[in-house]
Amino acid sequence: MQKSSRRSPHTAQKPVVSPYEFPIKLIDQDAFYIVKRLQSFGYLAYFVGGCVRDALLGKAPKDFDIVTSARPREVRGVFRNAQLIGRRFKLAHLHFPENKVLEVATFRQPPSRDSIQDGVIVEDNEYGTPETDAYRRDFTINALFYDPLKSVIIDYTGGLADVERRVIRSIGDPKVRFREDPIRMLRAIKFAARLDLNFDDQVKEAMRGERESLVEAARPRLQQELVRFLQGGSALRSFELLIEFRYLQLMSPELHAWMNHDPNGAQSLSQLLGSHDQHTRTLWPQPAREDRILSVIFWPWVSSL
């Protein structure tokens, strides 16, 4: 098995460039317009991350993220519909009709040692290159760039091979990466559940060994990931993995305690999540509101009181 390594941002690496015809029916035309216009102004600009990964796996991308060599103020100079957001690291949000927003980010570097305290990233705001941007991402399958004008995938980390193997592999030592940001372990579960992927051995070992790091994660971010588990149509599998890796008691100790004390608790929750997934996939074209969706996992617990 190929060993993960997190390269220095100062070490020039030639990417593997592979021809790929993105299914035309899956391309967001506004995203294509953004990339085309940025390139016409002389900037590098690509699709990146989940939209590339999902298309390769035969799934319709949920959204399109764009990355560019243009700085945020330069993006705003190119697009009149751009709004800059963020304090530590500015992003450009481009607004389109019907409340549609597409995000454009500038290539970044991995955080420096000075920006990491007690193993946790506290600052992440340095601009970089396509290579450094690829190596600062969490998993290889999320580090693929796609140039829709040239119809090529640009791969610095071996992500294309990992997509073909359907495996989640960390960029760099997964123990270090999970300590830097424990939410990455939950993202690994989300991708595995939604996309029917496997964990590579190093990722699986680190997910077990670093589980206590979740205690250090901000509660709002934990809740956000919990909501995402429930919105993706794979809530049942997500919760099975949360239980397998013993994360549920860290994220929701009350729910975990109820499941252990009620002899029918686990079965009731599984049935509810399975039904919820079916409705999510077939009846709900848009994600449900957060307050309503959280009631799904707490309903059997509350109704038993």
Side-chain angles (χ1 to χ4, degrees), residues 2-271:
Q2 185 176 356
K3 186 176 180 180
S4 300
S5 61
R6 195 175 185 189
R7 299 184 186 276
S8 163
H10 302 295
T11 303
Q13 286 293 124
K14 288 186 177 181
V16 174
V17 179
S18 304
Y20 175 70
E21 290 292 338
F22 208 105
I24 189 66
K25 65 180 181 180
L26 299 183
I27 291 183
D28 184 298
Q29 292 303 311
D30 292 323
F32 180 83
Y33 160 74
I34 292 171
V35 170
K36 183 177 181 180
R37 185 164 173 81
L38 284 169
Q39 289 194 17
S40 73
F41 276 75
Y43 300 110
L44 296 177
Y46 307 125
F47 297 161
V48 66
C51 62
V52 184
R53 176 200 68 219
D54 290 353
L56 287 167
L57 289 170
K59 295 184 176 292
K62 184 180 66 172
D63 48 37
F64 279 73
D65 289 327
I66 297 156
V67 68
T68 179
S69 59
R71 301 294 175 92
R73 293 186 183 279
E74 293 173 327
V75 174
R76 190 168 62 180
V78 174
F79 300 99
R80 289 185 294 178
N81 60 334
Q83 177 185 8
L84 302 189
I85 66 165
R87 292 184 178 179
R88 293 189 310 169
F89 192 89
K90 289 191 178 299
L91 301 167
H93 277 186
L94 273 62
H95 296 261
F96 294 90
E98 299 181 359
N99 296 319
K100 179 179 180 180
V101 178
L102 291 175
E103 185 173 280
V104 179
T106 305
F107 296 123
R108 282 190 272 178
Q109 293 192 50
S112 64
R113 291 183 179 179
D114 294 339
S115 65
I116 300 176
Q117 297 179 6
D118 297 324
V120 178
I121 297 173
V122 295
E123 190 174 359
D124 185 12
N125 61 355
E126 297 182 20
Y127 298 122
T129 65
E131 181 194 0
T132 62
D133 191 86
Y135 277 99
R136 64 163 290 279
R137 295 176 183 271
D138 49 8
F139 304 109
T140 60
I141 59 172
N142 295 333
L144 296 168
F145 302 116
Y146 182 70
D147 186 335
L149 276 70
K150 296 181 179 178
S151 297
V152 294
I153 288 175
I154 302 163
D155 180 9
Y156 285 93
T157 67
L160 189 56
D162 289 335
V163 168
E164 293 173 352
R165 294 192 302 142
R166 305 188 71 88
V167 68
I168 298 172
R169 182 167 61 88
S170 174
I171 298 175
D173 185 340
K175 293 180 180 179
V176 174
R177 303 307 306 278
F178 294 160
R179 285 188 212 121
E180 288 175 350
D181 185 357
I183 297 299
R184 288 172 177 149
M185 293 185 283
L186 301 183
R187 284 170 55 80
I189 284 178
K190 177 177 66 180
F191 298 139
R194 285 189 185 181
L195 303 172
D196 191 25
L197 304 178
N198 299 308
F199 307 110
D200 98 328
D201 290 342
Q202 292 184 54
V203 166
K204 187 181 295 185
E205 179 183 353
M207 288 176 67
R208 297 189 190 282
E210 299 300 323
R211 62 180 291 276
E212 293 293 339
S213 298
L214 281 173
V215 178
E216 306 298 326
R219 300 304 297 183
R221 294 189 68 201
L222 289 175
Q223 179 172 312
Q224 183 182 53
E225 290 303 318
L226 192 62
V227 169
R228 287 172 176 169
F229 288 153
L230 293 164
Q231 288 178 329
S234 56
L236 177 57
R237 180 56 181 154
S238 297
F239 273 76
E240 288 173 347
L241 289 171
L242 287 178
I243 294 169
E244 176 184 338
F245 284 94
R246 299 169 56 223
Y247 291 171
L248 186 60
Q249 54 261 55
L250 299 176
M251 298 179 67
S252 181
E254 298 86 358
L255 181 60
H256 179 260
W258 167 75
M259 289 178 61
N260 282 344
H261 286 92
D262 189 318
N264 298 317
Q267 181 179 0
S268 297
L269 184 63
S270 293
Q271 291 175 344

